[in-house]
Amino acid sequence: MTFESMTTSQPLDLASIRRDFPYLAQELNGFPLAYLDSGATAQRPVQVLDAERAFLEHANAAVHRGASTLVGTSTTAFEDARATVARFVGAGEREIVWAENATDAINIVALGMADAAAGLGGAEADVFRLGPGDEIVVTEAEHHANLIPWQRLAAKTGATLRWIPVDDDGTWNIDHAASVIGEKTRLVAFAHVSNVTGHVAPVTDVVELAHRHAALVVLDACQSVPHRPTDFAALGVDFAAFSAHKMLGPNGIGVLYGRAHLLDALPPARTGGSTITTVTMEAAEFLPSPQRFEAGTQPVSQAVGLAEAVRYLERLDMHRVHEHEVELAALMVDEVSRIPGVRLVGSGAGVERGALASVDVPGVHAHDVGQFLDSRGIAVRVGHHCAQPLHRRLGLRATTRASAYVYTTADEVRRFTAALGEVRAFFGVTGASA
Amino acid sequence: MTFESMTTSQPLDLASIRRDFPYLAQELNGFPLAYLDSGATAQRPVQVLDAERAFLEHANAAVHRGASTLVGTSTTAFEDARATVARFVGAGEREIVWAENATDAINIVALGMADAAAGLGGAEADVFRLGPGDEIVVTEAEHHANLIPWQRLAAKTGATLRWIPVDDDGTWNIDHAASVIGEKTRLVAFAHVSNVTGHVAPVTDVVELAHRHAALVVLDACQSVPHRPTDFAALGVDFAAFSAHKMLGPNGIGVLYGRAHLLDALPPARTGGSTITTVTMEAAEFLPSPQRFEAGTQPVSQAVGLAEAVRYLERLDMHRVHEHEVELAALMVDEVSRIPGVRLVGSGAGVERGALASVDVPGVHAHDVGQFLDSRGIAVRVGHHCAQPLHRRLGLRATTRASAYVYTTADEVRRFTAALGEVRAFFGVTGASA
Amino acid sequence: MSDLSGLYQELILDHSKRRVGDGALADPHASHHELNPTCGDEITLGLRLDASGTKVEAVGWQGDGCSISMASASALTELVVGSDVAHVRELIDGFRSMLRSQGAGEPDEDLLGDAIAFHGVSKYVMRVKCAMLSWVALEACLNAAVAAAGAAHAVPAGVTDASAPTPSEQA
Amino acid sequence: MSDLSGLYQELILDHSKRRVGDGALADPHASHHELNPTCGDEITLGLRLDASGTKVEAVGWQGDGCSISMASASALTELVVGSDVAHVRELIDGFRSMLRSQGAGEPDEDLLGDAIAFHGVSKYVMRVKCAMLSWVALEACLNAAVAAAGAAHAVPAGVTDASAPTPSEQA
Ligand SMILES: Cc1ncc(COP(=O)(O)O)c(C=O)c1O
Ligand SMILES: Cc1ncc(COP(=O)(O)O)c(C=O)c1O
Ligand code: FES
Ligand code: FES
């Protein structure tokens, strides 16, 4: 599979795209910046910056509070943004809840379930009540955001946390999942695309398996929604989470998707203004989804910015975005595999992966690798990428990760791999290698 | 006390301030906009908009993750913002935690305490453990954000929620507090300045009373920090919460203040990346404050914007901001009291209040009052202002609230009161009045 | 005063004071409680059909709210009492379309009669829900009463709560 | 290659391989574990004073980390073994000032000797903590050992954990 042979439609116009991103026109240490850390956070096009600014200069006001003309304008913009995001991921408007980030979105589910187990939420919250004997299933490859909230839920409810094991390359398949998911399973949480290995999970198979046991499915879609066409209804998951800042949108806003009847029954963990119908000194009654979860003043301009980011991606066409990244992923795997003394984490050539490559250079600490690349103008991520258990399983403490997005060029990927090839010599490491 | 006689120092230069706010130069229904809803959300000066945009175009990157030059730049900007906000409210840097908004900040405390009661957090979290027999004290005048989280904490722990009663005008004093706070009290939560009555709470007296019974004090500072010099260390409170969007800063970021040793011991309710030291599949260990609470990708550009808002306020000088608002508050009280058939909520002339006036026009629903004002270009807030119990106590369902800020002119206040004087005639309400 | 008189038409101000139908209905076939989360205002509307189950015999409501919501409930009562169930459904649809029009188009006066006075409300997004409150309650009652009548001729009143509208849907 | 050689001086690359002091110290008077949250790297450093309690007799450390952190622990060991406690405190202060300088000024070669090679690290905010890791551990050990010696001449090792630095403080 070569880089060129995969193109099936009109490719992205990279030169034109890059003109929209002021950040990318900068230099780093005397070199043109090669920003290869979009897996951590993406940069924003002027269209998104302009949309948020225009809103703030002309339309900003409280939303869902009061009844002034200004509130009407801001509320309409805010709810239109929700409708735009809903359409983008195959959801109904009431199925899109604004959170602070994806981490918060996952916590809304985990904390709501803990509240249900503590007796809140009435009979309709029964589906969320866990206790001793019940099992929560994650994978060994999860981001801490999709692991620790479930550890805490287990600790609070007495349920048991189990995990789908990964192979030596950090990936897993439906057989691994079937070895763990069973009749005690009440919830299965896993990443659609791994932020370390780029592994693409067999979502519909896991959903089928989980639903056969009446278990809920929570999908961490942080590394999928920004990069590939994603339809939660078609995937069949019960909940999903993603962040705006990884998809050209603002920080400070994430999205929780949930099936409407589940969201309406989930106790809101975070409470406050705008979430209620009637409040007495003794108790409060909550609105249905999404308002029951959006306590306090909402990230309004951020929702407007995110909607503009979605429109930007829709104009590019998510199918073409995906193809672009499939090509870059193949190029990464191909080039990294040729470098002596460098270990690529995850599957090798021929297996689809997200457009990212985490590597280990035995004998050189990841932070030193990253520093060397940095000196060449190449910005990558080093560390455990919030996946310590996966790194431990792979016998590693930290890796160096390059990750791509709509604006990433093949040339930038080649600069990364070329510099990577020089690391061992610079640090005086020689001899046999992994 | 007349409007003019209160000026004690160089007053704010309103004309120059208003030039910084593009939003305020707009028209509403054919009139120059009189934006009198800053108590709900304030508008942003270009300085804040520019600072956030410059950050996004040149310095945006993940923070506290990886080690690249870009991460160094963004992390430094992010932590400098924290230091700026800390200085503004008399706190240490480790005592400032970024939250989604003030509501979230209060929830971090309430949910952390629920987690402590559920057994998380080890021995150091003992100070936060409540159970049957323990009492949580709020006031009857609280915003839902500072009421419902405590109701939920009581429901989860078996503790009892009690409240400081208010007088017929909606205010309370230290005697009311002393009638409720006692040896069973473990926590007292109240607003520094009420968002409905403008009432200024006797903070240090309540702190003294609460601490005498070893109870924790949580201050809702949403309506104080933006409007008056505020020093949490001097006030002696244990926790406090406020929102950036009410003080010229961005949406999507709020602040939790807490005394360092308390924050280090409070279990983090929301968990995920960036909060931990060591994570295994079974358990996680958390960093000290503030990082233990900032799960997932932080509101980075928003922190930068908030810091710029703080610098803007510091340049104006918070003492002068406060004086400006004291004058506007006196003007509001004075003018509203002269309108026949209009009831002002809260204390009358001669008592300090925040620069806001909530009014009832018997016979005309608040939403109709607001609509009439709106047609005159005056944007106010109508409804229960997230304080249903207080409104019920006052025999009201909704009120019409005008609230001022640094850019509000006496002329705008007079337009509000003049239009208010016409409401009854427009809706054909006559006869004796409150 | 801009076009405020387009919102508060004489007929609306008048109905808001007359409040036709104000008061609990005895022996309703269905009754429904509806709340406007923006303001906290509530209305409980009761409906009785005639013996044949095809005509609205009586409507009564209790509630508290702004002039728009009170006038709307009053106008509704005047319009629907004595009408065929099928016609009432047309009225509900017509009223809702008018309120969602954001001020566009001409309302159907033949169908809606006096209720076209509420056309002006459609330009005020935050007030649409006020005008719809009683109509949403009526629709829920109608569904419940007809369902009950179908299941067992003349059952006791069913109290229902309509499912939530989408967040951007005002009514 | 920009000024990467200012960061990775020969002496640093060399120390990162030699690792003077690598290995657990037997019978330490104090031992301290320090973690760098950015990367998860850890070091445990042990300290033994001489009989008089005024001189550093031995240092040993175990840990895993980047070249900067390993080289720093190695250089530290060379510098402090055999030195007066008072002088070691000066060294710690001097090293910390140099690392906080953000590349400004000239480091004090008379005091710090070879350790001035770490001056270049101060320009890399995200790496300052790497160089400080072992020094923070050393400072904690010194405090604990001296306190223990004062309290009761020659007590068993106290294991301490220094309080957290402020978020913007790298060391
Ligand atoms: C007194 C008070 N407390 C809490 C809040 C909640 O603030 P936020 O909505 O920013 O979380 C507000 C503002 O709405 C307020 O005025
Ligand atoms: C797979 C995965 N899950 C969760 C997260 C957390 O996202 P956020 O930090 O935006 O909450 C990330 C990104 O850091 C991720 O890559
Ligand atoms: S304002 Fe409540 S129904 Fe109109
Ligand atoms: S990168 Fe971990 S100590 Fe340097």
Side-chain angles (χ1 to χ4, degrees), chain B residues 18-95:
Chain B
R18 290 180 71 91
R19 275 194 296 274
D20 293 334
F21 291 80
Y23 189 93
L24 300 178
Q26 301 185 97
E27 290 203 338
L28 176 60
N29 291 321
F31 292 85
L33 167 62
Y35 184 74
L36 294 176
D37 199 16
S38 295
T41 201
Q43 299 300 339
R44 326 251 185 288
V46 285
Q47 288 84 342
V48 168
L49 299 175
D50 288 349
E52 195 172 346
R53 177 133 189 175
F55 175 82
L56 288 169
E57 292 194 349
H58 304 296
N60 180 48
V63 301
H64 289 300
R65 284 183 189 77
S68 65
T69 304
L70 306 179
V71 168
T73 306
S74 61
T75 303
T76 302
F78 181 65
E79 292 302 338
D80 283 354
R82 195 189 307 271
T84 301
V85 171
R87 175 169 34 79
F88 188 64
V89 295
E93 286 175 44
R94 295 189 45 233
E95 301 184 318

Side-chain angles (χ1 to χ4, degrees), chain A residues 137-405:
Chain A
V137 173
V138 297
T139 84
E140 221 176 341
E142 291 315 301
H143 189 284
H144 296 160
N146 201 28
L147 169 61
I148 310 178
W150 306 119
Q151 290 178 343
R152 309 285 275 185
L153 177 61
K156 285 186 258 187
T157 59
T160 303
L161 184 76
R162 299 191 59 192
W163 50 92
I164 298 169
V166 299
D167 284 337
D168 290 347
D169 68 356
T171 70
W172 57 278
N173 62 38
I174 189 67
D175 296 333
H176 300 72
S179 73
V180 179
I181 297 170
E183 56 187 34
K184 292 184 179 168
T185 309
R186 298 289 310 278
L187 181 136
V188 183
F190 61 99
H192 193 172
V193 175
S194 161
N195 65 317
V196 179
T197 63
H199 173 243
V200 184
V203 181
T204 49
D205 292 347
V206 178
V207 167
E208 208 222 303
L209 182 60
H211 284 175
R212 208 183 306 145
H213 297 288
L216 295 167
V217 175
V218 178
L219 189 70
D220 174 351
C222 283
Q223 300 292 346
S224 55
V225 165
H227 301 288
R228 52 176 63 216
T230 308
D231 183 321
F232 292 133
L235 290 172
V237 297
D238 297 297
F239 294 101
F242 57 99
S243 275
H245 70 92
K246 292 188 203 279
M247 53 189 287
L248 313 181
N251 281 43
I253 187 165
V255 175
L256 170 64
Y257 159 84
R259 293 203 284 142
H261 72 281
L262 290 173
L263 286 177
D264 283 346
L266 184 68
R270 184 167 45 217
T271 53
S274 298
T275 64
I276 53 85
T277 55
T278 307
V279 179
T280 62
M281 285 311 291
E282 288 87 1
E285 280 165 34
F286 298 96
L287 286 163
S289 170
Q291 265 115 13
R292 72 202 268 110
F293 300 109
E294 298 176 1
T297 300
Q298 302 86 341
V300 186
S301 69
Q302 287 83 4
V304 169
L306 171 57
E308 190 61 35
V310 164
R311 282 189 288 271
Y312 188 94
L313 289 170
E314 285 177 334
R315 282 195 298 271
L316 294 185
D317 179 348
M318 286 306 290
H319 293 280
R320 287 161 63 196
V321 168
H322 183 219
E323 273 170 27
H324 173 66
E325 298 198 22
V326 166
E327 290 169 11
L328 292 182
L331 180 65
M332 285 176 181
V333 170
D334 189 43
E335 296 263 316
V336 169
S337 322
R338 293 174 205 272
I339 309 174
V342 171
R343 169 181 171 195
L344 174 69
V345 168
S347 321
V351 182
E352 190 190 352
R353 63 151 73 203
L356 58 84
S358 302
V359 299
D360 175 46
V361 183
V364 186
H365 190 286
H367 279 60
D368 292 320
V369 175
Q371 200 75 58
F372 180 82
L373 297 172
D374 199 81
S375 75
R376 297 293 180 85
I378 303 158
V380 295
R381 170 82 185 272
V382 293
H384 50 61
H385 318 308
C386 301
Q388 281 187 5
L390 176 62
H391 277 78
R392 206 173 287 117
R393 169 66 178 81
L394 299 172
L396 301 169
R397 192 192 280 270
T399 52
T400 302
R401 182 186 74 185
S403 57
Y405 204 15

Side-chain angles (χ1 to χ4, degrees), chain B residues 230-310:
Chain B
T230 309
D231 183 323
F232 292 134
L235 290 172
V237 297
D238 298 297
F239 293 102
F242 58 99
S243 274
H245 70 93
K246 291 191 203 280
M247 53 189 287
L248 313 180
N251 281 41
I253 187 165
V255 175
L256 169 64
Y257 159 84
R259 294 203 284 141
H261 74 282
L262 290 173
L263 286 177
D264 283 345
L266 183 69
R270 185 166 44 216
T271 53
S274 297
T275 64
I276 52 87
T277 55
T278 306
V279 179
T280 63
M281 287 309 292
E282 288 87 0
E285 281 164 33
F286 297 97
L287 286 163
S289 169
Q291 265 114 13
R292 72 202 269 110
F293 299 109
E294 297 177 0
T297 300
Q298 303 86 341
V300 186
S301 69
Q302 287 84 6
V304 168
L306 171 56
E308 191 61 36
V310 164

Side-chain angles (χ1 to χ4, degrees), chain B residues 29-31 365 367-376 382-384 388 397-398 422 426-429, chain C residues 1-5 7-8 13 17 37-42 63-68 124 126-127 130:
Chain B
N29 291 321
F31 292 85
H365 190 285
H367 279 61
D368 292 321
V369 175
Q371 199 75 58
F372 180 81
L373 297 173
D374 199 81
S375 75
R376 298 294 181 85
V382 293
H384 50 61
Q388 281 187 4
R397 192 191 280 273
E422 294 178 48
F426 180 83
F427 288 101
V429 175
Chain C
M1 207 170 304
S2 81
D3 57 352
L4 198 59
S5 52
L7 176 65
Y8 294 112
L13 291 178
K17 286 177 191 115
T38 314
C39 52
D41 291 333
E42 305 172 79
D64 212 359
C66 65
S67 59
I68 309 284
Y124 296 80
M126 302 307 287
R127 305 306 294 277
C130 303

